[in-house]
Amino acid sequence: MKNKKKTFFSKAIIYLISLIFIFLITVFATKYYFYDSDYAVEETDLTGISIDGIKIGMNINDIDLSKYTKIDEVIDKCNYNFEEISFKTDSKNIITYIVASFKKTDLIINDKNKAEISKVNDIWDELGDNYKTEIYKPEENNYWKISRYVDKENDVYFGIIFSRYNNEILNIILSDERIRS
């Protein structure tokens, strides 16, 4: 009788652990597929985008940083922080992430500059409909949205942070990996 109880409880525990494991995999896979992934975003050629003439993959030592106002605050884990723009570099000083104030830097998209780009709609018109838009950092601020474009072929991701009320562009991001919202 005791052996049957042990066997029953052993099987019940294994069954319960299996159910929990399957449940957790389902939850994380669903979250990744629907919320944390650019899976549904079609690719866009982002090679024509630069911020102040700077692109992902450039060496930080090749950039004149003296034109920017240095700050002590760390922005988005960047290791070069300025009032206008911040950079994250790898161990070889290659730029892997750029976040910039739209008003204080010059965004160039396919030879169009800030004079021709003032609202997020102008960027959407220039780059097309292959983007994903969602609330940007909802735990901090529900007034901002982010539209993300993906160029997997060139390992470039482009994000536009804008006001959800008037579509005014606030910040722009270039990265060599997915931009989290």
Side-chain angles (χ1 to χ4, degrees), residues 100-124:
S101 165
F102 179 74
K103 292 180 181 179
K104 296 178 181 180
T105 56
D106 191 23
L107 171 66
I108 297 175
I109 300 176
N110 303 329
D111 296 327
K112 290 187 178 181
N113 63 15
K114 196 184 326 189
E116 301 167 275
I117 302 167
S118 61
K119 299 277 185 195
V120 71
N121 303 56
D122 299 330
I123 295 175
W124 293 336

Side-chain angles (χ1 to χ4, degrees), residues 32 36-37 97 134 136-137 146 148 173 177-181:
Y32 175 78
D36 288 341
S37 172
Y97 183 84
E134 57 196 14
Y136 183 67
K137 296 188 178 180
I146 184 169
R148 293 189 316 261
I173 300 171
E177 58 186 48
R178 187 182 179 287
I179 300 168
R180 305 284 177 206
S181 54

Side-chain angles (χ1 to χ4, degrees), residues 77-164:
K77 299 180 184 175
C78 291
N79 48 347
Y80 292 87
N81 295 286
F82 302 92
E83 187 176 306
E84 306 84 357
I85 193 168
S86 293
F87 305 97
K88 183 177 179 182
T89 60
D90 65 12
S91 61
K92 297 177 183 171
N93 290 325
I94 301 299
I95 298 171
T96 61
Y97 183 84
I98 305 168
V99 59
S101 165
F102 179 74
K103 292 180 181 179
K104 296 178 181 180
T105 56
D106 191 23
L107 171 66
I108 297 175
I109 300 176
N110 303 329
D111 296 327
K112 290 187 178 181
N113 63 15
K114 196 184 326 189
E116 301 167 275
I117 302 167
S118 61
K119 299 277 185 195
V120 71
N121 303 56
D122 299 330
I123 295 175
W124 293 336
D125 291 343
E126 183 63 29
L127 292 177
D129 296 332
N130 298 335
Y131 61 88
K132 182 177 183 179
T133 299
E134 57 196 14
I135 301 291
Y136 183 67
K137 296 188 178 180
E139 66 280 354
E140 296 175 17
N141 185 342
N142 285 329
Y143 304 112
W144 296 354
K145 288 183 122 181
I146 184 169
S147 285
R148 293 189 316 261
Y149 285 90
V150 177
D151 184 345
K152 293 177 188 167
E153 183 177 326
N154 296 299
D155 291 326
V156 177
Y157 294 78
F158 177 56
I160 310 120
I161 301 168
F162 61 98
S163 167
R164 64 186 277 200

Side-chain angles (χ1 to χ4, degrees), residues 44-104:
T44 302
D45 181 7
L46 300 175
T47 55
I49 295 179
S50 67
I51 302 171
D52 280 355
I54 304 166
K55 294 184 173 200
I56 295 298
M58 291 178 69
N59 191 305
I60 194 75
N61 297 320
D62 296 336
I63 298 166
D64 178 15
L65 300 176
S66 66
K67 64 182 179 179
Y68 301 116
T69 309
K70 190 148 180 66
I71 58 173
D72 293 328
E73 178 185 358
V74 175
I75 299 170
D76 285 349
K77 299 180 184 175
C78 291
N79 48 347
Y80 292 87
N81 295 286
F82 302 92
E83 187 176 306
E84 306 84 357
I85 193 168
S86 293
F87 305 97
K88 183 177 179 182
T89 60
D90 65 12
S91 61
K92 297 177 183 171
N93 290 325
I94 301 299
I95 298 171
T96 61
Y97 183 84
I98 305 168
V99 59
S101 165
F102 179 74
K103 292 180 181 179
K104 296 178 181 180

